[in-house]
Amino acid sequence: MKKEQASECVKELKVLVCNVHGIRQRRGQEDRMVEVAEEAKRQKRQIVVLTETHFDVADSIRFGEIAEKNGYACFSVTRAMKRFDSGSGGVTIMVDLSMRAKEVRRSTLEDLIWVCLEVGKEKLYVGGVYLVPNTSSRADKVRNQLAELEQDLALYRLDGRVLVAGDWNCKVGEIASEVGDRRWTRRNVSDTVDTRGKHIMGMMNAAQMVVLNGIRDTIAQYTCKPWQSAEGDSRQGVDDYIAVSADMIGRVSELEYQHELRELFETDHSG
């Protein structure tokens, strides 16, 4: 997603969002960490939101070093690892080193982090969030995560503009974004709506945030490749989203879906 005319100094901000499904180093191999950082640099993305990094603290430090060599500052929230845990969850926000950025908050519950960028004379709060599927053993934490997110949106909307993105593991179908008397209709390859999707759309509308998937010329596309359900049928998901303050809509261009990143990043999600 490109954001145009963000300030007098920055004509556009390019943002990449992807569930990387684990890029922590194993047996000393760092190839996937390097590939992600180098691809972000190649695409000239100023902001990158990665979910399901599966980092532990050591991994986040090492990835920060790799990212810095490619021109990025890194801000990561990790999960406490259990014995024999090969990694789960985790969110990392990468910001171009040419921009002033600082971490302002991370969730005590895991998988939610906020960074504040100074873009010209403006403040832009960038949030990265990963919500586990309803089938996860951690699903009982999602309600509290969403309550935290709702409070954060209300707080940061008072002080600047806001962008929040990640894998929310929900289905919003064609529920419109509505702020005051403005309404953005949504076109989606899937009309499936679930309880979490309804809740999140209500929360976003109340916070004057517009979910960008499917509101412009490009229909909202599947972001998670087909998988076999418990019932034995093949399913796909529109699970990854990006939302911005309503007053930023005039600066936002078309979303681009990068299905080729599935192979490059060895993940089951598109960028």
Side-chain angles (χ1 to χ4, degrees):
M1 183 197 75
K2 300 177 181 178
K3 296 156 69 75
E4 301 172 339
Q5 302 301 320
S7 72
E8 294 178 359
C9 300
V10 181
K11 292 184 178 181
E12 66 179 18
L13 291 178
K14 296 182 179 180
V15 182
L16 173 64
V17 181
C18 189
N19 178 323
V20 290
H21 201 60
I23 55 171
R24 64 187 306 233
Q25 55 183 325
R26 295 182 178 88
R27 298 187 180 90
Q29 298 299 313
E30 299 177 346
D31 292 351
R32 295 188 64 205
M33 288 187 179
V34 173
E35 286 168 354
V36 169
E38 289 183 347
E39 181 64 15
K41 179 180 179 180
R42 187 190 71 79
Q43 293 191 21
K44 298 180 180 179
R45 303 286 166 163
Q46 288 98 335
I47 301 170
V48 181
V49 179
L50 306 174
T51 58
E52 277 209 280
T53 58
H54 295 184
F55 288 162
D56 60 18
V57 174
D59 293 319
S60 66
I61 292 173
R62 181 57 188 142
F63 183 68
E65 294 170 348
I66 293 170
E68 186 174 12
K69 290 180 181 179
N70 286 276
Y72 292 95
C74 268
F75 307 88
S76 296
V77 59
T78 63
R79 288 181 178 175
M81 294 294 178
K82 299 178 181 178
R83 191 180 182 188
F84 306 124
D85 191 349
S86 61
S88 60
V91 179
T92 292
I93 298 176
M94 302 166 59
V95 180
D96 191 297
L97 284 172
S98 66
M99 306 177 72
R100 297 176 60 184
K102 64 179 181 180
E103 180 182 323
V104 291
R105 205 183 83 77
R106 63 177 59 200
S107 172
T108 58
L109 298 170
E110 67 196 18
D111 297 342
L112 171 62
I113 188 169
W114 287 93
V115 173
C116 179
L117 284 64
E118 294 186 15
V119 184
K121 297 180 180 179
E122 299 178 341
K123 289 183 179 179
L124 174 63
Y125 289 91
V126 178
V129 60
Y130 172 65
L131 302 175
V132 298
N134 288 326
T135 54
S136 170
S137 60
R138 299 174 185 259
D140 58 338
K141 293 185 178 182
V142 171
R143 184 188 298 268
N144 292 329
Q145 275 183 284
L146 289 175
E148 265 195 300
L149 179 58
E150 186 172 20
Q151 293 174 355
D152 292 342
L153 290 173
L155 176 64
Y156 298 138
R157 285 283 289 114
L158 293 175
D159 192 46
R161 292 183 165 88
V162 178
L163 180 154
V164 62
D167 181 355
W168 303 347
N169 272 304
C170 69
K171 308 294 185 287
V172 305
E174 296 186 340
I175 299 176
S177 286
E178 299 183 71
V179 177
D181 59 355
R182 301 181 67 187
R183 189 173 190 271
W184 292 268
T185 57
R186 189 176 321 284
R187 295 186 305 127
N188 197 330
V189 293
S190 172
D191 59 3
T192 301
V193 177
D194 61 14
T195 301
R196 184 187 295 180
K198 289 180 181 178
H199 178 83
I200 286 179
M201 286 305 303
M203 179 178 70
M204 291 294 171
N205 286 344
Q208 300 185 350
M209 299 287 294
V210 178
V211 176
L212 299 179
N213 305 56
I215 68 165
R216 291 290 177 84
D217 292 338
T218 302
I219 191 170
Q221 298 180 21
Y222 292 119
T223 59
C224 187
K225 70 180 183 182
W227 75 94
Q228 291 297 120
S229 72
E231 292 76 21
D233 58 339
S234 179
R235 298 182 181 179
Q236 299 185 76
V238 182
D239 294 323
D240 304 85
Y241 299 89
I242 183 167
V244 299
S245 310
D247 54 6
M248 294 176 64
I249 286 296
R251 303 178 177 188
V252 176
S253 65
E254 231 15 91
L255 263 67
E256 301 172 2
Y257 292 86
Q258 300 185 44
H259 302 301
E260 65 274 12
L261 293 186
R262 293 177 180 173
E263 181 175 353
L264 180 62
F265 292 171
E266 298 178 37
T267 179
D268 54 0
H269 286 249
S270 303

